[in-house]
Amino acid sequence: MMRLMPFLLSSLFLLLSAIPAMAHGTVERVPEIASAEARLFVADSTTGDLVTVDLPSGRTLSRLSTPASIMSLALAPDARHLFVTRGRNTDKDYVTVVNTGFDPETGSARPPFISRTFEGYSPDSSHPVGNLPSIANESKAELLLLDGDLDSLDGLTVRKLALAGNAHYHYAVVDGLLYVGHLQQGFVQVLDLETGKEKTRIAGCPVLHGIAQDEQTDRLFFGCQNETLVVGTQGEETAKAVAHINYPEKQRVAAFLTGKNRVLWGYTEGTLPLLYKLDVSHEPYAYETMEIEPSIRQAVSSDQAYLLSLRRSGTLEIRDSASGKLLRTAAIGKGWSADFHEHVDKAVLPDIATSSRFAYVSLPNEGRIAQVDLSSGTLVRYLEVGGEPTRLELLEKTGGDDTPSSSQPVELPTAAETTDPSLTRGDKTVPLTASPLMQDDHAWLPLRSTAEAFGLHVKWQAGTGISVTGEGLSVQLTIDGQSAKLGGVAKELHAPLQLISHTAYIQEHDLEVLLGIKLLGAGGHAHAHEHDHSTEHAD
């Protein structure tokens, strides 16, 4: 047997040698690189997905999963990375860094990917510091400056700057000094950017929110509760308050847009009846008031030629960014209710991004994005992305053209989606002949003319108020009364009737609940189930 062992071992070796090796074979590597004229990034507030749309094809390229409840998108100074910040509705805050896969200089495009996700502390990444991206950890009173390769594990350095206190910040760098506005503290902290040491503080700006810079003088404009603070950054006026600009109306400025010819536009959150125009080429500085239709979103085109305002009715206004003159409008969506608001838990507002020729407007309540030609005001198409699209960031190739070709599918709105502002009751619809009054983000309409448009009868009754009857309806109301009677049953009002210039005005919610008349296409869209203010009891 021992003599057989060498023979058996050699035979086994030959047999095993004949079996193919259990190793991975080589495969051909296929290049992922393609080309695109532009790339649109869309935050889906429902899922937390970051949706990538290639342009001009309009094709949805990818959906990257990030922590839910996206609050903001911010493009890094290198135009190659995107910071995705989640809302503040849980005990953990996260920032996700996405490599966009897009080169704006050449238009070369690869699939985007997530580089890293890290924990922040009430983080905000909307303001770069020079050519560096930054993260403001608002609950730790620190500013992080990120330098190096954002895609590498070891190629990134992080520098921390200590700030004066926990706050929401607005900041900018001018000639080596970092000017940081603190909302809660109401002052501007000035730091030496190289050393991180504080130089001075400029007080007198309570509830500071919003910042703008005049490129010619380098002066900084900070929005305060009751005025705008102007801070100098050059020569003897460096780090000093040089002007205070009063607001002509009760509305404050909490954000700025930069138009052409050194014009700034000041606005705040919520539904706005007006914007402030500030021509910084003229001193002393003074705001001019420009009335607009009730609007919930504002923007300036990428070339600063157009001022854009999205009406609550779903119509996009296109104005000259220097004069504010209305040039054209485009009906793009169904509109939003009077009680539509956004808080810090997640983004829900529509957003506007622009290329050199088009505006892209997200419609969260419709799951799509409207593409509008700025030069003609034409609704070009809808990009169907699904979910709840809110924040947008657009990267455009230098000299690129995101115009859809004639061979690409274009979905245009139906007649119902572009309907003019109107009133409806049952199967009857009548046009809205005049804009409603706006107060506290609600629409108010004249009771008599509105009711009579549907064949109802309105009568003043001495001592008892106003009666509305007809078509089986019986309603009793009083001026300043907290309730009304509908068929003899008490109904609590959303707001009492108002008497303005001898005309009784009714709030849109009460108009629908009591008379069954809905306001459509003018930001009304009020429905009784949105806010159940009614309590019923027998007389």
Side-chain angles (χ1 to χ4, degrees):
M1 182 67 183
M2 295 298 294
R3 293 178 180 179
L4 293 175
M5 286 298 294
F7 172 78
L8 293 174
L9 290 173
S10 62
S11 299
L12 179 61
F13 174 77
L14 292 173
L15 178 64
L16 292 174
S17 299
I19 299 175
M22 300 297 291
H24 295 295
T26 60
V27 296
E28 182 182 358
R29 288 181 174 267
V30 179
E32 289 185 312
I33 194 166
S35 63
E37 298 297 303
R39 182 166 279 185
L40 181 66
F41 293 91
V42 186
D44 185 341
S45 191
T46 299
T47 63
D49 287 350
L50 180 68
V51 184
T52 306
V53 179
D54 266 358
L55 299 170
S57 71
R59 180 173 67 94
T60 296
L61 178 66
S62 67
R63 300 182 72 96
L64 299 180
S65 180
T66 73
S69 304
I70 293 175
M71 189 65 199
S72 67
L73 302 179
L75 196 62
D78 66 3
R80 304 287 183 90
H81 293 86
L82 191 67
F83 287 80
V84 184
T85 306
R86 67 151 298 147
R88 303 176 186 181
N89 56 351
T90 67
D91 60 343
K92 291 285 187 178
D93 298 327
Y94 296 102
V95 178
T96 299
V97 183
V98 174
N99 185 307
T100 65
F102 185 74
D103 185 347
E105 295 182 4
T106 64
S108 64
R110 294 178 178 273
F113 63 89
I114 293 176
S115 295
R116 64 183 77 215
T117 295
F118 56 90
E119 185 177 359
Y121 302 89
S122 300
D124 180 33
S125 57
S126 59
H127 301 284
V129 174
N131 62 348
L132 299 179
S134 69
I135 303 293
N137 279 325
E138 297 179 353
S139 63
K140 292 187 72 173
E142 65 181 16
L143 185 63
L144 309 183
L145 306 184
L146 312 182
D147 192 5
D149 186 358
L150 291 169
D151 302 322
S152 170
L153 291 177
D154 58 1
L156 183 67
T157 59
V158 181
R159 180 186 175 202
K160 294 183 180 181
L161 296 179
L163 301 180
N166 298 347
H168 181 56
Y169 310 110
H170 292 268
Y171 47 91
V173 175
V174 183
D175 291 346
L177 294 182
L178 177 63
Y179 297 79
V180 185
H182 291 57
L183 183 145
Q184 286 85 346
Q185 292 83 355
F187 58 68
V188 178
Q189 181 186 17
V190 184
L191 302 172
D192 185 304
L193 185 59
E194 183 177 353
T195 65
K197 294 182 178 180
E198 180 177 307
K199 302 280 289 185
T200 188
R201 296 181 185 181
I202 306 166
C205 187
V207 199
L208 185 154
H209 198 287
I211 186 174
Q213 184 175 356
D214 174 25
E215 293 184 358
Q216 184 162 321
T217 64
D218 277 331
R219 286 178 173 177
L220 300 175
F221 296 76
F222 292 92
C224 314
Q225 181 65 41
N226 301 310
E227 62 181 11
T228 292
L229 170 67
V230 185
V231 174
T233 65
Q234 301 295 314
E236 294 183 356
E237 66 179 35
T238 297
K240 295 178 182 179
V242 296
H244 298 265
I245 314 171
N246 294 325
Y247 302 136
E249 305 288 345
K250 291 183 178 179
Q251 180 176 303
R252 66 160 293 172
V253 169
F256 296 91
L257 296 170
T258 301
K260 59 186 178 182
N261 301 338
R262 297 179 67 194
V263 168
L264 299 178
W265 294 95
Y267 63 103
T268 186
E269 62 183 359
T271 302
L272 302 182
L274 57 88
L275 300 177
Y276 291 139
K277 174 186 173 182
L278 180 63
D279 185 345
V280 298
S281 67
H282 290 87
E283 294 187 58
Y285 299 126
Y287 280 116
E288 299 175 37
T289 300
M290 183 180 76
E291 294 186 359
I292 57 174
E293 293 292 325
S295 299
I296 61 174
R297 201 67 169 171
Q298 287 73 39
V300 164
S301 60
S302 59
D303 60 1
Q304 296 185 336
Y306 299 111
L307 171 67
L308 308 176
S309 186
L310 181 60
R311 295 177 185 170
R312 208 181 69 186
S313 63
T315 295
L316 181 68
E317 292 184 350
I318 304 172
R319 297 174 177 269
D320 181 86
S321 71
S323 66
K325 179 183 177 182
L326 181 63
L327 302 176
R328 55 196 71 94
T329 62
I332 61 173
K334 300 175 182 178
W336 293 267
S337 73
D339 290 322
F340 187 71
H341 295 284
E342 182 177 280
H343 304 288
V344 296
D345 54 339
K346 67 174 184 177
V348 297
L349 282 170
D351 199 8
I352 304 172
T354 69
S355 65
S356 58
R357 180 176 175 184
F358 297 101
Y360 297 86
V361 185
S362 61
L363 304 173
N365 53 338
E366 300 178 38
R368 57 189 180 178
I369 296 164
Q371 182 178 352
V372 178
D373 188 316
L374 292 170
S375 62
S376 66
T378 303
L379 175 57
V380 177
R381 62 175 169 175
Y382 286 120
L383 301 173
E384 300 288 348
V385 295
E388 190 179 1
T390 54
R391 301 293 194 261
L392 303 175
E393 279 288 349
L394 181 70
L395 282 172
E396 184 182 16
K397 173 185 172 182
T398 303
D401 184 3
D402 49 340
T403 305
S405 70
S406 58
S407 63
Q408 292 165 350
V410 175
E411 182 180 350
L412 294 176
T414 64
E417 292 167 332
T418 58
T419 242
D420 289 331
S422 61
L423 297 165
T424 181
R425 185 175 190 264
D427 58 0
K428 182 178 181 181
T429 300
V430 299
L432 189 65
T433 57
S435 298
L437 299 179
M438 298 302 302
Q439 181 174 316
D440 298 328
D441 288 346
H442 293 286
W444 294 73
L445 293 103
L447 176 60
R448 180 181 293 277
S449 61
T450 302
E452 290 179 346
F454 292 91
L456 303 176
H457 305 289
V458 179
K459 184 177 180 181
W460 285 86
Q461 296 176 321
T464 59
I466 304 172
S467 68
V468 183
T469 58
E471 300 188 5
L473 184 73
S474 177
V475 177
Q476 299 287 330
L477 304 106
T478 58
I479 299 296
D480 296 329
Q482 297 295 326
S483 63
K485 289 183 180 179
L486 175 60
V489 178
K491 290 277 188 178
E492 183 179 348
L493 294 176
H494 188 278
L497 290 183
Q498 292 193 55
L499 189 62
I500 303 174
S501 299
H502 306 292
T503 299
Y505 280 80
I506 185 170
Q507 206 235 51
E508 57 181 316
H509 290 275
D510 299 322
L511 182 68
E512 181 176 350
V513 172
L514 297 176
L515 307 186
I517 300 174
K518 297 180 182 180
L519 173 63
L520 300 178
H525 300 303
H527 299 284
H529 66 264
E530 291 179 354
H531 290 274
D532 186 9
H533 297 280
S534 61
T535 56
E536 298 189 10
H537 56 272
D539 226 11

